[in-house]
Amino acid sequence: MGSRKRLAAEARKEAKKNVYMARLMDNPTSPRKTRIMADLIRGKDVDYALNVLKYSRKESAEKLLKLLKSAIANWQVKNEGARLEDAHLYVKTIFVDGGRMLKRIRTAPQGRANRIRKRSNHVTLIIDDRNANNNNNIEIEETKNIE
């Protein structure tokens, strides 16, 4: 591997240390139905999002709840010693992409057949700490003031 690619790979690896994410692949629910729940928690605090998902009756809410708990666990692994209560975690980004589509046949009148598309989706959820962002902005402003 050349030095340019190695440096780029190291930079990507360093950037991923500050990203706390979880992915759900091949969720057997329509992307349209899952996006309804994803839109409810996008940009919200983690505590609020957990409550919304916990008390929602939609099927995709259970899966998104498990995914959000996984992202929180990933944050705890990367921030050992930090308390979850002190960190103001929020859902930074969540997006739902279409996944595999299973195609099935249903019989129709007069000897015809209709196609059924059983859709699935991929969900990516990224959480972040509001305090960390504020601290970074303050440090940047302080360095500007010093110069």
Side-chain angles (χ1 to χ4, degrees), residues 60-99:
S60 60
E62 294 175 21
K63 296 177 182 180
L64 288 178
L65 177 65
K66 189 174 179 181
L67 184 69
L68 182 57
K69 287 180 180 178
S70 174
I72 293 169
N74 291 341
W75 179 87
Q76 288 175 331
V77 166
K78 290 185 178 181
N79 294 307
E80 294 179 21
R83 293 185 58 220
L84 185 61
E85 294 80 20
D86 295 338
H88 295 288
L89 296 177
Y90 71 104
V91 179
K92 184 177 182 180
T93 55
I94 180 170
F95 51 90
V96 181
D97 297 324

Side-chain angles (χ1 to χ4, degrees), residues 27-128:
N27 180 17
T29 309
S30 169
R32 183 175 178 180
K33 293 176 182 177
T34 306
R35 280 188 194 111
I36 292 171
M37 293 309 299
D39 290 341
L40 286 178
I41 65 170
R42 184 177 292 118
K44 305 291 190 221
D45 287 337
V46 168
D47 295 332
Y48 177 81
L50 285 170
N51 288 330
V52 167
L53 294 173
K54 184 177 179 182
Y55 294 108
S56 176
R57 294 189 332 220
K58 295 204 176 275
E59 180 186 350
S60 60
E62 294 175 21
K63 296 177 182 180
L64 288 178
L65 177 65
K66 189 174 179 181
L67 184 69
L68 182 57
K69 287 180 180 178
S70 174
I72 293 169
N74 291 341
W75 179 87
Q76 288 175 331
V77 166
K78 290 185 178 181
N79 294 307
E80 294 179 21
R83 293 185 58 220
L84 185 61
E85 294 80 20
D86 295 338
H88 295 288
L89 296 177
Y90 71 104
V91 179
K92 184 177 182 180
T93 55
I94 180 170
F95 51 90
V96 181
D97 297 324
R100 266 191 317 206
M101 198 180 310
L102 302 175
K103 295 181 178 172
R104 301 290 182 257
I105 301 294
R106 171 169 281 168
T107 56
Q110 299 180 356
R112 291 187 302 238
N114 291 336
R115 187 156 282 181
I116 295 176
R117 295 180 297 277
K118 294 189 174 187
R119 301 172 192 267
S120 66
N121 60 51
H122 307 308
V123 184
T124 304
L125 184 131
I126 301 173
I127 61 174
D128 203 2

